[in-house]
Amino acid sequence: MYKCFDASTVIGTLLFSLGLIFRVIGGYVFGKFADIYGRKVVLNLGTAGYSLSQLLLALSPNVFILLLARSLQGLFMGAQWTAGTVIAYENAPVSMRGIINGIVQAGYGLGYALTGLVYIFFSTNWRMFLLTGAIPIFLVPYILAKVNDVKTFRKENIKAQANISGYLSVIIRSTIVISGMFFSYYSIFAVYPEFLESIQISKDYVGFLMFLSNVLLAVSFIAFGRASDKFSKRKLIMYGVIGEMIGLPFMLAVIEQPSFITFGLLLYTIATGFWPLAPLLIVESVPIEVRGMLTGLTYNLGSIIGGIGSIIMGALVNSFGIVSAGKWGLIMGYASLAIVFLTLATWKSSNVLSRVQRSNI
């Protein structure tokens, strides 16, 4: 869509990354608000806010409004994600928290899958394409009627119980893990459809690949979530990272054949199902009174790193051409995934488990 305003690829990746960067602000500010006044009000505010921001995005008359709308969208998405994730976790039975979280996060993959499907029909009309993103505003009445908070907190309770110094290690490590997974994913997918088209993959097939891969991503989120109710989250994430490393060169067209690219993309996508487990490392490891604030801060701080990755990729592509995205994707992808793997490999699981036991409600 940025090309409709004759903007450069750098503006395109900036547009992509602004939404991620402003999510950390929304996640922290609205997460703190949710800890004091409850998750439900923030869930509603976030859903309505990002839907209306999407409407503004579709109606943008120039690049400035486009960037502003994208920033506001990120702000409210940070609010919606934080409140939605935590309220689902707190309402779920202890034995099913992993799979419930996986189902909630599967909306991410399903949303991208629908985006790929809609892209097939509206690839020539970007405003109509973006308008479809405002549809979630119709969920607000349902949330008001059906969703319940587990608990609402008072400011004095937070001050009395929010000593997080003992959780600093897990917060830092979780942030590194989340940052690495975002950096790998978004630095590549910020330009991935354009990259595929540059190596003569048709727009229709690109749309199909985005749809199929994200359907599988949603299914994989649920599968990893279910597995996390029985097995170590840390080890499951490590297995997922290995899967991504195997799929990376294929999806980035080291062998320029559609069948190999498709195989690599689907393998990478299925392996990425570990994503919902990363925020659970925080959700299960901090006091309930500050769970929204710290979950929103940590997870969305990782999105800033992802945003930086997308900007770096945009600058590289702008200098060396879109075809070079495959080479840069391999370098950036393997570097960030290696950091994630090493962080998890040196992370003593007992540090997490002791906190999980104390934080169950």
Side-chain angles (χ1 to χ4, degrees), residues 49 112 142 187 242:
Y112 267 111
Y142 176 83
S187 62
I242 293 172

Side-chain angles (χ1 to χ4, degrees), residues 56-95:
L56 178 61
L57 197 69
L59 301 176
S60 299
N62 53 53
V63 171
F64 175 77
I65 299 299
L66 201 67
L67 295 173
L68 174 64
R70 177 61 171 162
S71 300
L72 290 173
Q73 182 194 51
L75 186 75
F76 287 110
M77 286 189 75
Q80 192 277 342
W81 182 92
T82 300
T85 297
V86 175
I87 203 171
Y89 173 86
E90 291 175 345
N91 276 286
V94 173
S95 62

Side-chain angles (χ1 to χ4, degrees), residues 110-134:
L110 181 59
Y112 267 111
L114 292 175
T115 299
L117 185 62
V118 171
Y119 179 77
I120 295 174
F121 296 100
F122 296 113
S123 60
T124 58
N125 188 338
W126 68 272
R127 292 191 186 275
M128 185 61 67
F129 174 68
L130 291 180
L131 274 174
T132 61

Side-chain angles (χ1 to χ4, degrees), residues 181-243:
M181 74 183 197
F182 268 126
F183 189 90
S184 169
Y185 190 90
Y186 286 121
S187 62
I188 294 170
F189 281 91
V191 297
Y192 193 63
E194 188 179 356
F195 166 71
L196 291 182
E197 291 177 22
S198 74
I199 57 173
Q200 308 308 312
I201 304 295
S202 70
K203 281 189 175 182
D204 287 347
Y205 194 66
V206 171
F208 168 73
L209 281 180
M210 294 300 101
F211 173 76
L212 178 60
S213 66
N214 282 290
V215 168
L216 289 177
L217 182 64
V219 174
S220 185
F221 278 178
I222 297 172
F224 268 86
R226 180 54 180 160
S228 74
D229 287 325
K230 299 181 178 181
F231 305 104
S232 164
K233 295 177 180 62
R234 182 178 66 90
K235 290 183 179 179
L236 287 171
I237 295 173
M238 292 173 70
Y239 296 148
V241 170
I242 293 172

